[in-house]
Amino acid sequence: MNFKNIAILFLIGTVSVSCSQQSDSTQTARSESQTSPVFSKGEKITNDNFVGTAWLNYLAEADTVHNVNIGLVTFEPGARTNWHYHKGGQILLVTEGKGLYQEKGKPVEIIEMGQVIKCPPNIEHWHGATLTEAMTHIAIGTNTNIGGAVWLKPVTDEEYNAI
Amino acid sequence: MNFKNIAILFLIGTVSVSCSQQSDSTQTARSESQTSPVFSKGEKITNDNFVGTAWLNYLAEADTVHNVNIGLVTFEPGARTNWHYHKGGQILLVTEGKGLYQEKGKPVEIIEMGQVIKCPPNIEHWHGATLTEAMTHIAIGTNTNIGGAVWLKPVTDEEYNAI
């Protein structure tokens, strides 16, 4: 996922101390009786690399020291990325709900909270919510020193509804 | 954090499909009324790189494709890592509670749920819970192709209690 294309979206609240800390200041410490999310969903994505309504909270920008970028992406029901691939690969940590993941030429997979998906470099794929349920994942773009996401065509309604 | 030293600890439940998926099978889809964690806390850490009681769920092992490792580490009150550094750097995503983070020669920082801490390579540091509150973070070891964690001395009770 190329977060550089989403340059106008930025973290809600930052705290800068020593070793480059950021905080999502809209969150308070969670107790057992609270169900507020750990990270806010951020800003609505407005570029054309997604179909439907999706949100991005850019947790960590790529830099030349760590060579990863990290974003929290929330897909409302029916929302999904376009087909795309990552020059350096990607790892998804599904943190809420149920969603879909598909690689080119392979069947669609259901992905759920608690799952970890490793996507190798240059494998065309898409991911998103189901038609009826939202899904949130932490998306870690790896080896950003090699390159980022390359965006392709949308997942059409025909493709998506046939699942 | 060198997860290779914790080789006997492994994920609870795995599902292997296409693009290398893993799932924490003890978790069910979370609804608004549930407060069960997204990822289980895993296994108690038994090596001597930690003081106190801490748990590790190894979400993604390092590989030569992605060059990161990802673990969920839960520190019970009073628990902390030893002093250590990462040859390739590290990024922490604090997902629960309140904890402590300190780099050598700098004051201790309080870190809280929702914060992101970027730790550059070769900077000696430690992190853990406070004396009275637990803390959980996702720890992403970056550039594992360069190397992993190098473990140093414990944070003594004298150092820790003086905070």
Side-chain angles (χ1 to χ4, degrees), chain A residues 21-65:
Chain A
Q21 296 190 32
Q22 303 178 141
S23 70
D24 192 328
S25 59
T26 59
Q27 301 307 319
T28 55
R30 184 173 63 177
S31 70
E32 287 197 353
S33 59
Q34 292 179 4
T35 54
S36 54
V38 172
F39 302 103
S40 75
K41 63 183 183 180
E43 301 295 323
K44 192 180 283 192
I45 295 171
T46 57
N47 62 44
D48 57 4
N49 295 326
F50 290 71
V51 172
T53 301
W55 303 75
L56 170 67
N57 181 352
Y58 204 3
L59 302 178
E61 288 199 36
D63 62 48
T64 56
V65 172

Side-chain angles (χ1 to χ4, degrees), chain A residues 19-24 28 32 35 38 61 63 65-67 95 101 103 113-116 118-121 143, chain B residues 19-24 28 32 35 38 61 63 65-67 95 103 113-116 118-121 143:
Chain A
C19 196
S20 185
Q21 296 190 32
Q22 303 178 141
S23 70
D24 192 328
T28 55
E32 287 197 353
T35 54
V38 172
E61 288 199 36
D63 62 48
V65 172
H66 296 88
N67 299 313
T95 56
Y101 174 87
E103 294 178 5
M113 185 182 86
Q115 274 189 256
V116 177
K118 278 188 171 183
C119 314
N143 302 303
Chain B
C19 196
S20 185
Q21 297 190 30
Q22 302 177 141
S23 70
D24 191 328
T28 54
E32 284 196 356
T35 55
V38 173
E61 287 199 38
D63 62 49
V65 172
H66 296 89
N67 298 314
T95 57
E103 293 178 5
M113 186 182 85
Q115 275 188 256
V116 177
K118 277 189 172 183
C119 315
N143 302 302

